Amino acid sequence: MTTSAIPLFSAEAGHSKGVQRFAWSVLVYNVAVILWGSIVRATGSGAGCGEHWPLCNGTVIQHSPRIETIIELTHRAMSGVALIAMLALVAWTFAATAKRHIARTWVVAAAVLTFNEALLGALLVLLGKVAHDQSASRAVYLSLHLANTLLLLASLALTAHFLSRTMGFMRGVVEHRSFGIATVGLVATLFVGVSGSLAALGDTLFPAASLSAALAQDFSSKSAWLLRIRWIHPMMAVIAGAFICWLIFTSAWRGRNRKLAIGVVCLLGLQYLLGAADIFLLAPTWMQIVHLLGADVLWIALVVLTARLCVVPIGCTEGLCRV
């Protein structure tokens, strides 16, 4: 048997549709949790439960809660469900897969990042880095929180992706191609997301009355530092977007990944439109949520496309096999 035939015979299998659907469902649910967390930040509801965690205002039952308390408490409840779902996904993945299955690695990474997500969220509350806090340390914690969130989504997406593969999902029968340059694209996109979270924080803490006033804030020496660095986000978005387009047009525009590649480019263009709308509309809460949703979907699609391009069965060619 030739080496190129190994993936077709030793790495083909059909996984339970149930665990596949559950993995994708956990990913979608975590996106919903992230969007609600953005509502918490945009509405200044992070202090809705006071500096108490995991209890809200030091109690379990809330009597006549404020709207901020309801928003924050809902986010905590959703996060708790996400943690339970994550543990269930770990157990189901290990029960449904063989020892060297790649999905096992990513589901463990997702579980670790889920606990880290809870820790960072708790620190934001306990240290008072919420609501109208303008300290530099809040920006640091927020950046770490957002980076961890994107890595969590990436791990969940890869878990679901490798569970859904029909071949090329076992360590030892796959090879890595163009991994370095693809990683650069993912890291650049990650930094765009982090800079976007800081720009959104600046929009929340220092709302502008008009577009001209917002632009003046960006370049005024008297403005808060969060406003003076707001321009970094669109600049990084353009650079990262150009790099992603170059990567796609040179590596994925033809062949079995063409549809997903086209989807990534369309999502990228949509994000530019949403970003421009966010600026011209002076970043209303609903627009920030839509923009974040687009960013999450783009990130997930880009991660899956990278996995398709970079982790393939040994000897696999465009016309030989599909993952």
Side-chain angles (χ1 to χ4, degrees):
M1 188 179 297
T2 62
T3 302
S4 62
I6 290 177
L8 297 179
F9 293 94
S10 65
E12 287 191 21
H15 297 107
S16 164
K17 293 293 184 181
V19 69
Q20 295 176 22
R21 294 192 187 100
F22 185 65
W24 288 110
S25 297
V26 172
L27 173 61
V28 171
Y29 181 76
N30 271 268
V31 171
V33 175
I34 292 165
L35 295 179
W36 194 265
S38 181
I39 293 175
V40 172
R41 189 262 313 148
T43 58
S45 302
C49 287
E51 293 184 7
H52 298 273
W53 193 94
L55 296 178
C56 185
N57 294 317
T59 62
V60 176
I61 304 299
Q62 304 299 305
H63 301 284
S64 301
R66 298 175 295 126
I67 184 63
E68 293 84 359
T69 302
I70 295 175
I71 293 174
E72 169 63 11
L73 193 56
T74 300
H75 180 58
R76 294 190 185 189
M78 293 177 67
S79 299
V81 173
L83 177 58
I84 295 172
M86 186 69 252
L87 295 176
L89 180 60
V90 172
W92 198 350
T93 299
F94 272 76
T97 60
K99 186 176 181 180
R100 293 187 300 160
H101 202 293
I102 298 175
R104 288 189 170 193
T105 301
W106 289 110
V107 78
V108 170
V112 172
L113 290 165
T114 297
F115 281 103
N116 198 42
E117 188 87 341
L119 175 61
L120 290 171
L123 287 175
L124 284 170
V125 173
L126 294 174
L127 298 177
K129 307 302 178 183
V130 291
H132 303 291
D133 180 73
Q134 302 177 13
S135 63
S137 57
R138 181 185 182 182
V140 173
Y141 278 105
L142 189 64
S143 298
L144 292 174
H145 200 5
L146 194 282
N148 188 86
T149 296
L150 291 179
L151 292 175
L152 171 59
L153 289 182
S155 298
L156 286 172
L158 291 172
T159 299
H161 168 69
F162 283 108
L163 284 173
S164 302
R165 278 194 176 195
T166 55
M167 61 177 61
F169 48 78
M170 299 290 287
R171 293 196 304 272
V173 295
V174 296
E175 59 181 333
H176 298 89
R177 302 175 181 174
S178 305
F179 192 73
I181 194 168
T183 301
V184 173
L186 289 176
V187 171
T189 307
L190 182 69
F191 277 105
V192 172
V194 172
S195 64
S197 69
L198 295 179
L201 179 61
D203 292 334
T204 300
L205 294 177
F206 309 100
S210 64
L211 179 60
S212 59
L215 294 174
Q217 286 178 331
D218 289 350
F219 300 100
S220 173
S221 59
K222 297 180 180 179
S223 296
W225 68 275
L226 275 172
L227 297 178
R228 294 201 303 271
I229 66 170
R230 196 160 49 183
W231 61 271
I232 294 178
H233 176 58
M235 182 196 70
M236 293 186 66
V238 171
I239 295 174
F243 183 84
I244 291 171
C245 288
W246 173 80
L247 179 65
I248 288 175
F249 282 108
T250 55
S251 304
W253 196 247
R254 296 179 180 178
R256 63 181 182 271
N257 296 306
R258 186 170 185 269
K259 289 183 178 179
L260 182 56
I262 293 174
V264 170
V265 172
C266 291
L267 286 170
L268 182 62
L270 177 62
Q271 274 302 93
Y272 286 139
L273 292 176
L274 291 175
D278 198 24
I279 293 173
F280 284 105
L281 295 176
L282 302 178
T285 298
W286 68 270
M287 190 69 244
Q288 293 184 39
I289 305 305
V290 173
H291 193 25
L292 178 59
L293 174 60
D296 288 342
V297 175
L298 171 61
W299 171 251
I300 292 168
L302 184 61
V303 167
V304 173
L305 178 61
T306 301
R308 285 189 181 185
L309 290 172
C310 299
V311 185
V312 297
I314 295 174
C316 183
T317 62
E318 290 293 341
L320 179 63
C321 58
R322 293 176 179 269
V323 296

